[in-house]
């Protein structure tokens, strides 16, 4: 009070705004229980269709909601078809069925629990695995573009895309890191040939081949840190830390460049894929939630539904499931890539409706 409201005395009101059901990160308090707080409950749902709200009321019966937004009937489906043995087959079958019902799969928001699942779907599994194995912040370094090789590849990709779009202004901005002055026709010809070679390697070469071409043709220069990492490859008697760097760098250079291009599309939000954590607070017309209970030990949706998991993980899983399902404005589909545990079938039939569950 002395900081924010100096000179005032007496009582004041503190309001805690939020929904404990949407606590999906490990940080934070969650539900606050005290007699000194008066709970103000919001029952109106201004986002979702009737079908989605009906499902949310099954997941969370203690807070019944009513549709207060645009009138949309919507639909909510659950797929866990045991006749398809593999996860890819199950997802493809769900795509086919939803397409037949008029869904536009390419524009449907796909929510995955982990980046590993997205990487497999979008075609950069080796790239994702390499950075994930670098330590706790490895994948974050890739996503944020803070690792030296990731920074180099971002700059190369900017040149590649400017060349593909025939955007001369952007090309001059990124060529040679913005330090290229073309004064002779011979320079222009060399750059043109270099860009053509770079485009060929981006289409069918490795990350190492693309990086070497960009540097050798003076299109994008390797930073001293990248050159230092590459200098470790093949050297003997390295310390443990340098050996890890050398192994990572050698493996990364062997990854097809197309995997980086696929990742770059996802990173710039040019795909309909997201992690379930990253969309908290967002909303989309049609949502497809992909559940793989083997992907992370912090959550297990199947056991949560069946009521056979530990209380703490049950709460986390229920919160995550609720957040994912409540992102949909119109239509929702949930696809389990593995089999549902015993006891889950009658629950999902009650939640979604027997005619909306495919087992």
């Amino acid at each position: 009070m002395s900081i924010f409201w100096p000179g005032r005395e007496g009582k004041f009101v503190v309001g805690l705004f939020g929904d404990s059901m949407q606590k999906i990160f490990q940080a934070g308090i969650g539900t606050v229980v005290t007699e000194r707080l008066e709970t103000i409950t919001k029952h109106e749902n201004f986002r979702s269709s009737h079908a989605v709200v009906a499902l949310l009321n099954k997941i969370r019966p203690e807070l019944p909601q009513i549709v207060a937004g645009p009138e949309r009937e919507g639909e909510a489906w659950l797929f866990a078809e045991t006749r398809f043995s593999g996860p890819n087959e199950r997802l493809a079958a769900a795509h086919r069925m939803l397409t037949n019902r008029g869904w536009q799969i390419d524009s449907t928001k796909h929510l995955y629990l982990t980046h590993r699942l997205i990487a497999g779907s979008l075609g950069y599994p080796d790239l994702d695995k390499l950075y994930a194995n670098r330590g706790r912040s490895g994948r974050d370094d890739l996503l944020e573009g803070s690792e030296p090789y990731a920074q180099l590849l971002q700059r190369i990709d900017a040149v590649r895309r400017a060349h593909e779009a025939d955007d001369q202004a952007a090309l001059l901005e990124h060529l040679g890191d913005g330090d290229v002055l073309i004064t002779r026709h011979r320079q222009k010809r060399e750059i043109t040939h270099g860009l053509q070679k770079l485009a060929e390697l981006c289409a069918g070469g490795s990350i190492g081949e693309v990086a070497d071409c960009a540097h050798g043709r003076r299109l994008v220069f390797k930073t001293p840190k990248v050159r230092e990492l590459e200098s470790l490859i093949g050297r003997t008697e390295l310390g443990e830390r340098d050996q890890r760097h050398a192994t990572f760098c050698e493996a990364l250079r062997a990854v097809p460049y197309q995997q980086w291009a696929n990742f770059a599309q996802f990173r710039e939000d040019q795909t309909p894929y997201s992690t379930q954590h990253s969309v908290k607070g967002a909303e989309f017309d049609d949502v497809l939630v992909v559940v793989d209970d083997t992907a992370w030990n912090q959550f297990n949706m199947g056991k949560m539904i069946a009521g056979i998991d530990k209380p703490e993980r049950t709460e986390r899983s229920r919160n995550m499931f609720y957040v994912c399902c409540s992102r949909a404005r119109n239509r929702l589909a949930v696809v389990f890539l593995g089999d549902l545990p015993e006891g889950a079938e009658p629950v999902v039939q009650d939640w979604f409706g027997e005619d909306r569950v495919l087992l």
Side-chain angles (χ1 to χ4, degrees):
M1 283 291 287
S2 63
I3 294 173
F4 293 107
W5 207 346
R8 294 295 186 99
E9 296 181 358
K11 296 181 179 180
F12 65 97
V13 176
V14 173
L16 304 180
F17 179 82
D19 182 359
S20 61
M21 187 75 174
Q22 299 195 40
K23 181 184 179 298
I24 59 175
F25 299 100
Q26 293 191 31
I29 296 174
T31 303
V32 178
V33 180
T34 171
E35 295 179 354
R36 300 183 66 184
L37 286 176
E38 177 187 349
T39 302
I40 301 173
T41 304
K42 172 179 169 288
H43 295 277
E44 297 82 9
N45 186 313
F46 291 91
R47 171 188 296 156
S48 300
S49 64
H50 284 277
V52 174
V53 169
L55 171 64
L56 299 180
N57 286 337
K58 291 288 187 177
I59 300 172
R60 188 184 191 180
E62 67 273 19
L63 179 66
Q65 301 178 44
I66 58 173
V67 176
E71 281 289 325
R72 289 185 295 253
E73 186 58 35
E75 53 188 60
W77 293 87
L78 184 135
F79 299 87
E81 296 187 82
T82 54
R83 60 193 177 103
F84 299 104
S85 57
N88 293 335
E89 290 79 3
R90 290 190 177 191
L91 183 57
H95 280 169
R96 287 193 300 270
M97 186 273 187
L98 294 173
T99 299
N100 290 336
R101 291 190 58 83
W103 288 47
Q104 300 295 320
I105 296 300
D106 289 342
S107 60
T108 295
K109 194 64 173 180
H110 288 58
L111 303 184
Y112 289 80
L113 189 59
T114 67
H115 283 285
R116 176 175 64 83
L117 295 174
I118 293 178
S121 296
L122 293 184
Y124 61 94
D126 302 320
L127 182 71
D128 179 75
K129 185 177 181 180
L130 274 173
Y131 276 92
N133 289 340
R134 276 179 69 77
R136 291 180 60 184
S137 64
R139 187 179 277 119
D140 289 338
D141 292 340
L142 173 65
L143 291 166
E144 295 168 6
S146 57
E147 188 272 331
Y149 235 104
Q151 293 173 339
L152 172 65
L153 293 172
Q154 285 181 78
R155 288 156 45 220
I156 293 174
D157 207 49
V159 170
R160 175 188 67 84
R161 285 181 292 159
H163 175 57
E164 286 182 355
D166 196 24
D167 187 339
Q168 297 301 314
L171 193 57
L172 287 173
E173 179 184 348
H174 296 294
L175 273 176
D177 303 319
D179 194 27
V180 170
L181 181 64
I182 302 175
T183 59
R184 298 179 181 179
H185 183 70
R186 178 175 58 83
Q187 287 177 284
K188 184 177 181 180
R189 186 170 60 249
E190 289 175 352
I191 290 173
T192 299
H193 290 162
L195 289 169
Q196 290 171 347
K197 183 61 178 177
L198 182 69
E200 292 175 11
L201 290 172
C202 286
S206 67
I207 284 176
E209 290 171 328
V210 169
D212 292 346
C213 172
H215 183 79
R217 299 281 184 148
R218 304 180 65 81
L219 303 174
V220 177
F221 297 110
K222 296 178 182 178
T223 62
K225 185 62 177 177
V226 169
R227 296 198 299 272
E228 179 186 342
L229 286 170
E230 292 183 339
S231 72
L232 299 174
I233 298 175
R235 288 172 54 180
T236 57
E237 300 181 0
L238 291 173
E240 183 180 347
R241 181 173 179 272
D242 283 343
Q243 185 58 61
R244 287 200 307 269
H245 288 323
T247 301
F248 165 77
C249 191
E250 185 174 21
L252 178 63
R253 285 175 53 83
V255 172
Y257 180 82
Q258 185 59 49
Q259 290 202 24
W260 170 266
N262 294 340
F263 164 74
Q265 274 197 312
F266 163 72
R267 186 173 181 267
E268 295 171 16
D269 203 23
Q270 296 177 6
T271 74
Y273 294 80
S274 293
T275 61
Q276 296 172 8
H277 284 87
S278 67
V279 297
K280 182 181 177 182
E283 56 186 65
F284 312 94
D285 284 338
D286 299 330
V287 172
L288 191 151
V289 182
V290 181
V291 178
D292 180 1
D293 280 332
T294 66
W296 202 3
N297 59 13
Q298 294 292 319
F299 303 92
N300 192 300
M301 307 299 181
K303 288 185 176 181
M304 176 273 295
I305 292 171
I308 57 173
D309 208 357
K310 295 177 289 187
E312 285 188 5
R313 192 165 70 170
T314 293
E315 182 181 2
R316 284 197 302 269
S317 301
R318 181 173 176 245
N319 289 0
M320 178 66 79
F321 195 68
Y322 179 86
V323 167
C324 292
C325 293
S326 60
R327 298 310 93 198
R329 284 192 290 254
N330 187 23
R331 297 182 292 191
L332 169 72
V334 178
V335 180
F336 275 79
L337 300 184
D339 294 343
L340 290 173
E342 186 177 353
E345 181 177 337
V347 179
V348 295
Q349 288 178 339
D350 175 55
W351 285 7
F352 289 82
E354 290 188 23
D355 60 334
R356 298 288 168 146
V357 174
L358 280 72
L359 301 174

